[in-house]
Amino acid sequence: MGHLIADAQRMWRAERPLLLPIAGLFYFLPTLALLLLLPQPAEITDPGTDAASQALIAYTLDNAGSILSANLANLFGAAVVLLLFLGRPQLTASDALRRALTLLPIFLIAVISVWAGVFVGGLMFVLPGLYLVGRSFLVTAVIASEGAQSPVQAISRSFALTKGRGWLFFSLVAAVFLTGQVGVMIAGSIDRAMIASGMASPVTVFLFNASAALASTAASLATLLLEVAAYRRLAGSSNGI
């Protein structure tokens, strides 16, 4: 795992001027817009109950358009980053943007298929769903590097590359995700406490929500760079930047 982190850090240092605007446009701004513009969900007094689940589902459905739009922007940004590092032949930023638009339907179907499998696996037993996260870690990298193949082929290829490493990659994804969520939760908690105490202002609300969006963006970008590093080591790819 250490060599993957070192590879990701090396890519970040080398390509930071290119990565920052892409992450800002397709991750940070959509996330910040959701945090600032969506209504706050009603406070749940009894988490884990049917009423709490129904309230969460109702909130998601009421705001589905905004949530789906932000996630689609995130996916497009991920495709651009992966194509820059893994595209064949090496792509410029403008080429990667155009190619990402062409491949976006395949990325979308593949990601939906993976998360549907994770959901079903989690419903039956928790561990199969978590294991599937690790085994499908390289699906989007495969699409970016190996071309417009079917989502089934991309998932199968990811399974072949991650054989014997499912739990390793799940642990990696979970560690990065949870680290990002800690930052989101801290910023959100401070923001809500200041609002409740009457100490908040438009400036503080913006700053704390921007901090939460930044933490989420950093975690997403770190996951993408780790995916590139893992794919290159396992597939022997040296394409892209």
Side-chain angles (χ1 to χ4, degrees), residues 36-48:
L36 290 175
L37 301 178
L38 286 191
Q40 290 293 318
E43 185 176 350
I44 298 175
T45 55
D46 297 312

Side-chain angles (χ1 to χ4, degrees), residues 138-165:
L138 300 180
V139 168
T140 49
V142 168
I143 295 171
S145 180
E146 301 179 18
Q149 53 190 307
S150 74
V152 173
Q153 289 174 313
I155 293 170
S156 176
R157 174 71 168 144
S158 176
F159 270 55
L161 291 171
T162 60
K163 184 177 181 180
R165 301 178 177 88

Side-chain angles (χ1 to χ4, degrees), residues 60-201:
T60 303
L61 291 175
D62 289 342
N63 299 283
S66 299
I67 294 171
L68 289 174
S69 297
N71 279 277
L72 192 60
N74 294 167
L75 182 60
F76 183 78
V80 172
V81 171
L82 292 170
L83 284 164
L84 282 170
F85 283 103
L86 298 172
R88 300 181 183 182
Q90 181 174 338
L91 303 175
T92 64
S94 59
D95 290 337
L97 287 165
R98 287 192 291 268
R99 185 85 178 275
L101 192 60
T102 301
L103 291 176
L104 188 60
I106 298 175
F107 275 96
L108 182 60
I109 295 170
V111 169
I112 291 174
S113 300
V114 166
W115 284 107
V118 170
F119 178 74
V120 171
L123 284 180
M124 295 187 299
F125 301 99
V126 175
L127 291 181
L130 301 181
Y131 183 66
L132 185 57
V133 171
R135 294 300 302 274
S136 59
F137 180 52
L138 300 180
V139 168
T140 49
V142 168
I143 295 171
S145 180
E146 301 179 18
Q149 53 190 307
S150 74
V152 173
Q153 289 174 313
I155 293 170
S156 176
R157 174 71 168 144
S158 176
F159 270 55
L161 291 171
T162 60
K163 184 177 181 180
R165 301 178 177 88
W167 288 117
L168 170 67
F169 288 131
F170 167 74
S171 301
L172 193 62
V173 171
V176 175
F177 174 78
L178 292 175
T179 300
Q181 287 304 299
V182 168
V184 172
M185 291 172 62
I186 290 173
S189 297
I190 296 174
D191 182 44
R192 287 190 294 272
M194 292 188 69
I195 292 173
S197 65
M199 297 173 61
S201 70

